[in-house]
Amino acid sequence: MGPVLAGVLQLLALTAALALAYKPLGTYMAKVYSSDKHLRVEKWIYKGIGADPDTGMRWPAYLRGILAFSVVGVLFLYALQRLQGVLPGSLGFAAVDPDQAFNTAVSFVTNTNWQSYSGEQAMGHVVQTAGLAVQNFVSAAVGIAVAVALVRGFALPHSQLRSSGGTPIRTGELGNFWADLVRGVVRVLVPLAAVAAVVLVACGAIQNFSGIHEVGQFMGGTQQWNGGAVASQEAIKELGTNGGGYFNANSSHPFENPTSFTNLFEIFLILLIPFSITRTFGLMVGSVKQGYAILATMATIWLGFVALMMWTEFAHHGPAFQAAGGAYEGKEVRFGVGASSIFAVSTTLTSTGAVDSFHSSFTGLGGGITLLGMMLGEIAPGGVGSGLYGMLIMAIIAVFIAGLMVGRTPEYLGKKIGSREIKLAACYILITPTLVLVFTAFTMALPTPANSMTNSGAHGFSEILYACTSGANNNGSAFAGLNADTQWFNTTIGLAMLLGRFLPMVFVLALAGSLAEQKPVPATAGTLRTDKPLYTGLLVGTIIIITGLTYFPALALGPLAEGLA
Amino acid sequence: MTTDVKRQDLMSTPTLAPHQDAPTGHKPAEGRVGAGLFDPKQLVKSLPDAFRKLDPRVMVKSPVMFVVWIGSVLTTVFSFTDPGDWFGWTISAWLWLTVVFANLAEAVAEGRGKAQADTLRKAKTHTVARRLVGDREEHVPGTELRIDDLVVCEAGDVIPGDGDVVEGVASVDESAITGESAPVIRESGGDRSAVTGGTKVLSDRIVVKITTKPGETFIDRMINLVEGAARQKTPNEIALNILLASLTIVFLLACATLPPLADYAGTHLTMVVLVALLVCLIPTTIGALLSAIGIAGMDRLVQRNVLAMSGRAVEAAGDVSTLLLDKTGTITLGNRQAAEFVPVRGTTEAQVADAAQLSSLADETPEGRSIVVLAKEKYGLRERHQGELVGAEWIAFTAQTRMSGVDVGGRRIRKGAAGSVTAWVRENGGTVADDADAIADRIAEAGGTPLLVAVEDARGARVLGVIHLKDVVKDGMRERFEELRRMGIKTVMITGDNPLTARAIAEEAGVDDFLAEAIPEDKMALIKREQAGGKLVAMTGDGTNDAPALAQADVGVAMNTGTSAAKEAGNMVDLDSNPTKLIEVVEIGKQLLITRGALTTFSIANDVAKYFAIIPALFAAVYPGLDKLNIMGLSSPDYAILSAVIFNALIIIALVPLSLKGVQYRPGSADRLLRRNLTVYGLGGLVAPFIGIKIIDLLVSLIPGIG
């Protein structure tokens, strides 16, 4: 079997698995976020944190909950790293430097998982499991909570929606953040991650608390190997679209991702919730077809990107590539070019950032595809929760531009898109390009930061552009090559991650609040149908043109200049 | 019933514009909306205004064009620092042209209103009012009148201000406002009491109570509206401006952050090039035309003699999902007409027809005339003139007797309302056949009005038969409602008729629903019910009792013949007082929104091609691979950038006619509209600039001496 065919078959298997999981998981999540019962363990948690899960929150209260929770998360994670030297179970690692500790704390709380450290050389068991792994769960749950709040904004008040607390929602209320957060962790992420961890262990990923082993190498010399709770962290790393590897080599490390099957399984985990949540959305707004339209948009972009990536990676010319059957540099032989391409596209079109291959070693155009995937705002299918709300914002923009062409003022899912709504959506789409472009320009303009580049020319620029894009979009993957552990990058990328995560949430929740207060407009034959293929096509076009074109000059100077050379 | 109709008819006849009852449904659909006029000469005429608008205080109102304005200033300044560089000067010139073209679009749109305003101003010549103070008259300038002043107007006087007639009846020439030369009757009390300042009394004497302050009169508001002076941005326009501004910021960022990136790549970008790139990327096309589209939309209404008091109302018209239509005058012709003669047992149809015609000769109401006509057309009974029948004694129709007839040659024939004729037959010792009642009931059930025909002759008094009077649905209404249904708009017929009659007419006309025996409160309740379901409602009205409903409706079109209360309450006034126009108002609202959306889509889709022109031009020198993006094969970097800038400017002028006329609108479902417009303006917007820029590049490269 040729490598191309293998790649295509893997893609088909992956798609089939995702399709099988779509209905049950989507439906289950819709039930989770509309159920009126609390589990016993949840009641304990509510009692422990002193929250009343049955109070309805308007958007400012919901936002305050998120911000308070995240600030505590950052402080706790920062403290944990700074105190590593005195903590037990730290494998003898010292405290992390302040700028790197800040960067890492922000990175995991914002679901980015940018790593300017090397896992096996900096973080002990305690920080990894009690700090980083915990944030892998809760930061993902926060993302889903925001998405659910926005969906409720659309759905209210015409369906008999209930908040997680079970109380009927009053006008303008978006549910209860604490209930949404806890349910996301307890009922969705933990059970799924537990099953996934077992599968990974069964396939050879490690799960222990052993120390550092000194191992002899074939060619002489020795090497240090860490143990750790790797499989469990790997599961939530992918499932929660986090991406922070236990080891520096991330998912290309055999302890994290031992076989070709686990590789495909990890891609499946990355895409599982982001795709399935479109059904949750459809059910909650009372039309699964609306969910299918969003799903179709995401799937079109994702498949298109996969096809492009496979094409650039397989078709690359040159004697070495032809001998190897594709652009093999930086890719694991046990995964192959095809699966590595699928992984790279999936990790950058979601906010995951895990890598099973070196994005820097992809062909020029292939590297550009990973960049563009993040630049689109990571919405196809995007991070858990964040992908859906990002896509819904684009849906609003598309409806606004093209919706006028049916001769009505724009409306989406029965809610009018007026000045207030478009203002919030416009602010949302402004944030990431601003962060990416401004930080990139400053990095390039200042004399020292550019010293971190490994390469010169267009490829060197791609390293910087990739880092800023990855941070601001909360992706977390690195183009490799860039030495990001400098004060400049730790600080600026830390800021980019913070602003790139929480500012959009402010606008999404404000938008949700604004929508929730609106009386729905009934659909007529004159209403723009947003559950049809035509609209899906329109949405894809809007995303590519509005978001993609913003970065065209920057892309031209990096990957395009390199890829077209 | 017949009395009322007659009275109303007499009152309203003079106001009927000749085209009012002309069926509109059978015209080609595209002819209805979108027939705006555009004369290239207007461009030249508006040039001075376009330059005047270069004032930054004016420019700042349009964020996108203001950015272009700043860019033009910047490139001009930079060109002065390097005066030998033809490229800088050429780009600057085209950037200024871009701004001027945008201003020109707005100026042309406004110019069309100005002409109309001038005619209106003529009507507003300073009039002298004859103000009543007690019993005394004093002459004061019209501008000094205050609310509640009483003024006298006699034949030949121009009415000095808006008000209500409180005394007298007069015929008034309202052509200054409506353009309609037939005089209208204005009288105190009732629904025909409103008069407008600037109109002229042709006969008789009336006393008018002034209801508006000078400067705020109807004619003043009209002038402001058509001139665009009172134009405020509509909600959707504001929202669109926000989106355009944010896209401008995004592209501003993309351009502003480019120099350090380019420096690293080893090429230096000049200010001129950066500004050129920016102007090409920001949505200048829609930014330039947005305001013109709005003005032109209002103007299209004015051309149809509808005045929208706010742009908001025009937008709301596009969103309307329920139309309340008065039956009489909108769905049916104003009058009922005889449709058939039904004999009772023992008589023939011809006998009934003959008797009906004879007895109707003295009935001058439209119903009476229609009976004569039907008898003539269907039974070949020649219309006899009253003088022909010697010794006939004509009994004219009156509101009291509700009968008309003739006594001739020993026969006494009567025709009229069932109750009156029955009473007459009994008075004269006759009996009413049982089947007469049954026939009358059947007609009533079918939605018609039965009139009895009776005779008293040698055989005594008896009923001969029944005349079936029927509402006549206007031509083409069914198709119109069908179209509205496809557009997702529900039609509700409002009528004072009983439910049976109403149902029959509703079915015949093809409306979706009806409100029978409607009183103003019912109308109000219906509007509120629809609105509670999130629907937008449009209606027409003219009476004072319509005012609350007009105010409640999202689009309330008041008839110009209506009372001032109605005109105040509505957000549009139809100068022709033609209620059918409500449908056109909805279509114009939709067309306005479609035009806006189409040009926005077009503008944004244009960006793709401009990137392909400019990016290789900027960077192919340092990264030769990027020349592969030069798929248009543009001749040189300078020409590529210049061609993109020129295209960007020229497309504005090219689209001015479209923005003024509005995108062609064919009623249809949202799906079909979107498919069509997306193909034309979305795909068209992608492809057109590739072709346009290439052509411009070919032309530019032919010019010797530059480059």
Side-chain angles (χ1 to χ4, degrees):
Chain A
M1 185 162 58
V4 179
L5 181 60
V8 172
L9 286 179
Q10 282 178 314
L11 180 62
L12 288 178
L14 176 64
T15 312
L18 286 168
L20 276 179
Y22 179 75
K23 270 193 184 176
L25 181 59
T27 312
Y28 171 70
M29 285 196 291
K31 276 187 195 142
V32 165
Y33 290 101
S34 333
S35 140
D36 52 2
K37 295 207 175 63
H38 302 295
L39 301 181
R40 186 171 299 159
V41 57
E42 289 170 349
K43 286 184 188 153
W44 293 340
I45 299 173
Y46 298 136
K47 208 174 267 179
I49 58 176
D52 174 10
D54 295 325
T55 352
M57 290 178 168
R58 305 178 70 83
W59 77 266
Y62 205 98
L63 178 67
R64 275 197 301 276
I66 291 175
L67 294 182
F69 179 73
S70 303
V71 166
V72 171
V74 171
L75 292 178
F76 176 76
L77 202 49
Y78 180 82
L80 206 61
Q81 293 174 80
R82 299 288 294 138
L83 295 173
Q84 177 161 253
V86 295
L87 290 176
S90 295
L91 302 172
F93 293 133
V96 182
D97 288 339
D99 59 316
Q100 192 172 46
F102 160 76
N103 183 285
T104 307
V106 166
S107 175
F108 277 75
V109 171
T110 56
N111 197 255
T112 313
N113 304 39
W114 172 262
Q115 295 166 294
S116 70
Y117 61 90
S118 184
E120 58 270 49
Q121 288 162 19
M123 305 294 178
H125 293 318
V126 176
V127 176
Q128 289 269 25
T129 34
L132 305 183
V134 169
Q135 280 304 329
N136 279 353
F137 281 99
V138 292
S139 68
V142 167
I144 303 180
V146 173
V148 167
L150 177 61
V151 173
R152 288 196 189 112
F154 278 114
L156 294 172
H158 68 118
S159 70
Q160 285 298 309
L161 262 192
R162 284 163 180 275
S163 68
S164 293
T167 38
I169 296 181
R170 285 191 298 267
T171 311
E173 287 178 354
L174 300 175
N176 182 290
F177 167 66
W178 303 110
D180 290 340
L181 172 73
V182 169
R183 287 181 182 200
V185 174
V186 172
R187 300 196 200 177
V188 180
L189 295 170
V190 167
L192 286 176
V195 175
V198 171
V199 173
L200 287 172
V201 169
C203 296
I206 64 164
Q207 181 78 4
N208 58 48
F209 284 107
S210 74
I212 298 171
H213 300 266
E214 198 97 350
V215 184
Q217 288 183 306
F218 286 130
M219 313 290 288
T222 59
Q223 195 179 9
Q224 289 187 334
W225 284 2
N226 295 19
V230 175
S232 57
Q233 193 158 328
E234 188 70 13
I236 188 62
K237 174 186 109 181
E238 317 293 11
L239 188 68
T241 61
N242 291 288
Y246 202 99
F247 303 105
N248 190 37
N250 211 304
S251 292
S252 60
H253 196 293
F255 288 179
E256 287 196 15
N257 189 6
T259 67
S260 175
F261 169 76
T262 57
N263 187 52
L264 210 55
F265 182 63
E266 287 182 10
I267 304 175
F268 169 78
L269 289 179
I270 288 174
L271 299 171
L272 180 62
I273 293 178
F275 273 131
S276 303
I277 203 170
T278 56
R279 181 173 174 82
T280 313
F281 155 74
L283 286 169
M284 287 177 84
V285 297
S287 158
V288 281
K289 277 178 144 188
Q290 297 285 356
Y292 285 133
I294 295 293
L295 171 72
T297 311
M298 292 173 165
T300 306
I301 297 179
W302 177 72
L303 278 171
F305 270 53
V306 169
L308 270 178
M309 184 65 104
M310 284 206 184
W311 174 70
T312 62
E313 298 310 293
F314 277 121
H316 202 72
H317 297 293
F321 294 118
Q322 272 159 11
Y328 249 111
E329 184 197 308
K331 297 188 180 79
E332 290 290 315
V333 179
R334 68 181 188 281
F335 306 145
V337 172
S340 298
S341 300
I342 303 174
F343 198 111
V345 164
S346 303
T347 196
T348 46
L349 274 174
T350 61
S351 76
T352 312
V355 289
D356 75 344
S357 51
F358 255 30
H359 290 184
S360 172
S361 299
F362 277 57
T363 61
L365 291 179
I369 292 169
T370 60
L371 261 168
L372 184 63
M374 294 186 284
M375 287 167 172
L376 292 187
E378 293 168 359
I379 51 177
V384 282
S386 61
L388 180 64
Y389 63 71
M391 181 57 95
L392 291 179
I393 297 280
M394 286 317 294
I396 287 176
I397 302 277
V399 155
F400 191 86
I401 293 171
L404 284 172
M405 286 195 291
V406 303
R408 286 171 69 91
T409 56
E411 56 208 342
Y412 184 55
L413 303 174
K415 298 292 173 94
K416 281 280 172 206
I417 308 302
S419 308
R420 188 177 155 71
E421 289 75 27
I422 204 69
K423 202 179 290 173
L424 295 166
C427 285
Y428 179 100
I429 56 168
L430 271 177
I431 296 165
T432 4
T434 309
L435 292 172
V436 171
L437 293 171
V438 169
F439 281 124
T440 305
F442 270 106
T443 306
M444 297 308 291
L446 293 173
T448 38
N451 293 342
S452 287
M453 290 185 223
T454 309
N455 293 280
S456 59
H459 197 81
F461 170 68
S462 294
E463 291 172 6
I464 304 272
L465 180 63
Y466 197 105
C468 294
T469 307
S470 175
N473 281 291
N474 297 136
N475 185 276
S477 66
F479 206 43
L482 187 77
N483 170 26
D485 186 18
T486 66
Q487 281 197 351
W488 168 261
F489 284 114
N490 277 336
T491 314
T492 52
I493 293 179
L495 283 176
M497 290 187 290
L498 265 185
L499 298 173
R501 173 76 167 178
F502 294 109
L503 275 183
M505 281 186 179
V506 173
F507 297 119
V508 168
L509 288 172
L511 180 67
S514 170
L515 293 171
E517 278 168 16
Q518 268 191 43
K519 222 168 34 185
V521 183
T524 67
T527 310
L528 172 71
R529 293 288 297 268
T530 52
D531 53 359
K532 292 279 182 92
L534 185 63
Y535 177 74
T536 296
L538 172 70
L539 186 49
V540 171
T542 309
I543 292 166
I544 303 280
I545 291 183
I546 300 269
T547 347
L549 285 191
T550 312
Y551 298 100
F552 197 80
L555 286 174
L557 290 172
L560 283 180
E562 187 190 348
L564 295 175
Chain B
M1 166 89 40
T2 330
T3 322
D4 290 345
V5 170
K6 175 175 182 175
R7 200 180 127 79
Q8 196 179 24
D9 178 65
L10 281 177
M11 288 300 116
S12 60
T13 304
T15 71
L16 290 179
H19 55 279
Q20 174 179 335
D21 277 342
T24 37
H26 61 252
K27 280 192 210 164
E30 58 270 72
R32 232 165 34 226
V33 195
L37 300 167
F38 178 72
D39 178 4
K41 274 188 222 140
Q42 285 169 317
L43 285 178
V44 183
K45 244 190 286 176
S46 308
L47 259 181
D49 272 335
F51 280 101
R52 256 194 295 280
K53 284 171 187 283
L54 286 175
D55 183 335
R57 284 165 301 182
V58 181
M59 294 300 309
V60 79
K61 285 178 194 154
S62 159
V64 180
M65 293 320 293
F66 188 56
V67 169
V68 183
W69 185 89
I70 294 175
S72 314
V73 172
L74 279 178
T75 51
T76 312
V77 170
F78 275 83
S79 298
F80 272 109
T81 63
D82 184 9
D85 177 27
W86 69 269
F87 180 71
W89 288 113
T90 321
I91 293 284
S92 304
W94 278 101
L95 293 185
W96 280 115
L97 278 178
T98 311
V99 184
V100 170
F101 288 167
N103 291 346
L104 197 56
E106 196 182 69
V108 170
E110 285 171 354
R112 304 208 300 177
K114 281 213 177 83
Q116 218 144 1
D118 289 341
T119 0
L120 285 172
R121 276 215 187 81
K122 276 182 208 145
K124 213 190 118 196
T125 44
H126 293 288
T127 48
V128 175
R130 296 159 61 185
R131 182 161 65 184
L132 274 182
V133 183
D135 290 337
R136 216 162 39 78
E137 259 183 40
E138 59 175 25
H139 289 253
V140 293
T143 46
E144 278 181 20
L145 289 175
R146 294 293 168 262
I147 291 174
D148 286 345
D149 279 354
L150 292 176
V151 293
V152 178
C153 301
E154 279 181 316
D157 288 349
V158 172
I159 297 171
D162 294 0
D164 287 322
V165 179
V166 290
E167 195 186 313
V169 188
S171 61
V172 178
D173 171 11
E174 294 194 336
S175 60
I177 296 173
T178 60
E180 182 52 54
S181 54
V184 294
I185 303 290
R186 293 293 179 229
E187 60 170 355
S188 61
D191 287 349
R192 316 265 165 217
S193 63
V195 288
T196 313
T199 57
K200 198 171 176 185
V201 178
L202 293 181
S203 68
D204 304 292
R205 173 184 186 273
I206 46 172
V207 177
V208 175
K209 190 181 191 178
I210 299 296
T211 52
T212 50
K213 279 188 244 166
E216 290 173 17
T217 60
F218 188 68
I219 213 162
D220 288 312
R221 275 153 69 195
M222 246 180 103
I223 291 173
N224 281 339
L225 278 167
V226 294
E227 273 194 324
R231 203 182 87 86
Q232 284 178 332
K233 283 185 180 151
T234 56
N236 174 262
E237 199 178 343
I238 293 171
L240 185 55
N241 251 321
I242 293 172
L243 183 71
L244 295 180
S246 68
L247 288 178
T248 305
I249 296 173
V250 168
F251 287 119
L252 193 61
L253 273 169
C255 294
T257 54
L258 201 50
L261 279 49
D263 285 342
Y264 168 80
T267 175
H268 184 71
L269 300 180
T270 63
M271 181 57 85
V272 173
V273 163
L274 277 176
V275 171
L277 175 64
L278 175 66
V279 170
C280 285
L281 295 185
I282 61 177
T284 46
T285 314
I286 180 65
L289 298 173
L290 188 55
S291 148
I293 294 169
I295 298 172
M298 298 283 273
D299 193 50
R300 273 198 294 283
L301 278 179
V302 173
Q303 283 168 19
R304 280 167 179 73
N305 267 351
V306 177
L307 286 188
M309 295 307 168
S310 73
R312 189 183 285 264
V314 187
E315 251 168 37
D319 281 351
V320 159
S321 38
T322 307
L323 280 187
L324 304 192
L325 299 167
D326 280 325
K327 183 199 77 180
T328 310
T330 311
I331 296 170
T332 62
L333 295 172
N335 313 298
R336 290 152 194 254
Q337 292 186 358
E340 59 173 329
F341 299 112
V342 190
V344 296
R345 261 194 303 279
T347 41
T348 64
E349 229 174 294
Q351 281 174 314
V352 179
D354 180 58
Q357 192 190 46
L358 276 174
S359 58
S360 298
L361 290 174
D363 182 357
E364 284 304 319
T365 63
E367 286 85 354
R369 284 200 297 269
S370 78
I371 294 170
V372 175
V373 170
L374 180 72
K376 185 166 122 188
E377 286 176 352
K378 214 169 163 190
Y379 300 97
L381 295 174
R382 189 177 59 85
E383 181 179 343
R384 284 152 287 190
H385 293 288
Q386 293 191 13
E388 273 178 54
L389 299 170
V390 183
E393 190 187 331
W394 300 98
I395 290 108
F397 179 88
T398 68
Q400 282 73 40
T401 59
R402 308 213 298 162
M403 281 194 304
S404 65
V406 64
D407 295 348
V408 65
R411 281 170 83 203
R412 299 171 70 209
I413 310 173
R414 293 292 182 274
K415 162 235 90 189
S420 309
V421 174
T422 310
W424 180 81
V425 171
R426 293 214 174 107
E427 255 170 46
N428 289 289
T431 51
V432 178
D434 351 323
D435 59 337
D437 271 345
I439 295 166
D441 285 349
R442 182 177 56 76
I443 290 172
E445 265 170 46
T449 308
L451 292 182
L452 294 191
V453 182
V455 67
E456 194 209 351
D457 55 12
R459 290 167 54 197
R462 62 190 189 280
V463 172
L464 287 178
V466 186
I467 306 170
H468 183 174
L469 282 186
K470 214 174 147 186
D471 265 310
V472 180
V473 173
K474 287 186 182 176
D475 263 1
M477 289 317 281
R478 218 189 157 79
E479 292 73 22
R480 217 73 196 276
F481 294 137
E482 186 59 40
E483 222 167 74
L484 286 170
R485 209 169 358 261
R486 280 200 302 273
M487 286 155 68
I489 295 172
K490 177 176 138 189
T491 44
V492 183
M493 181 182 85
I494 310 286
T495 170
D497 293 340
N498 63 56
L500 280 178
T501 313
R503 180 182 305 279
I505 298 168
E507 274 169 16
E508 192 186 340
V511 291
D512 297 309
D513 204 352
F514 64 89
L515 185 64
E517 286 168 355
I519 51 170
E521 289 74 31
D522 293 342
K523 233 176 182 179
M524 188 73 172
L526 175 68
I527 295 174
K528 285 189 171 157
R529 202 161 56 236
E530 292 286 317
Q531 286 175 336
K535 291 183 170 167
L536 264 59
V537 183
M539 67 169 283
T540 59
D542 56 0
T544 299
N545 54 14
D546 281 333
L550 277 171
Q552 178 73 31
D554 301 282
V555 177
V557 182
M559 300 293 105
N560 192 43
T561 51
T563 60
S564 351
K567 288 204 258 180
E568 279 300 317
N571 45 19
M572 292 190 194
V573 175
D574 178 15
L575 300 174
D576 295 342
S577 306
N578 170 12
T580 316
K581 221 187 267 170
L582 189 54
I583 299 172
E584 273 171 67
V585 168
V586 168
E587 290 179 354
I588 288 172
K590 286 195 177 294
Q591 196 195 23
L592 169 71
L593 294 171
I594 292 175
T595 308
R596 225 180 251 163
L599 291 184
T600 307
T601 308
F602 185 86
S603 187
I604 293 172
N606 270 203
D607 273 5
V608 177
K610 294 176 193 165
Y611 266 127
F612 278 96
I614 297 183
I615 293 296
L618 294 185
F619 302 121
V622 281
Y623 295 125
L626 289 180
D627 201 43
K628 287 180 193 153
L629 294 179
N630 181 11
I631 51 177
M632 285 173 271
L634 303 180
S635 44
S636 85
D638 283 350
Y639 288 164
I641 297 169
L642 187 59
S643 304
V645 170
I646 293 177
F647 175 82
N648 199 48
L650 290 183
I651 196 74
I652 295 176
I653 280 294
L655 290 174
V656 166
L658 181 70
S659 66
L660 295 186
K661 279 193 266 185
V663 165
Q664 200 186 66
Y665 172 67
R666 283 203 191 101
S669 70
D671 278 348
R672 279 186 36 209
L673 281 173
L674 183 65
R675 195 173 302 278
R676 180 177 177 277
N677 290 325
L678 211 51
T679 315
V680 176
Y681 299 98
L683 284 184
L686 276 179
V687 176
F690 279 101
I691 300 167
I693 292 175
K694 177 68 190 171
I695 292 175
I696 294 171
D697 176 72
L698 287 175
L699 293 177
V700 170
S701 57
L702 289 177
I703 301 173
I706 56 172

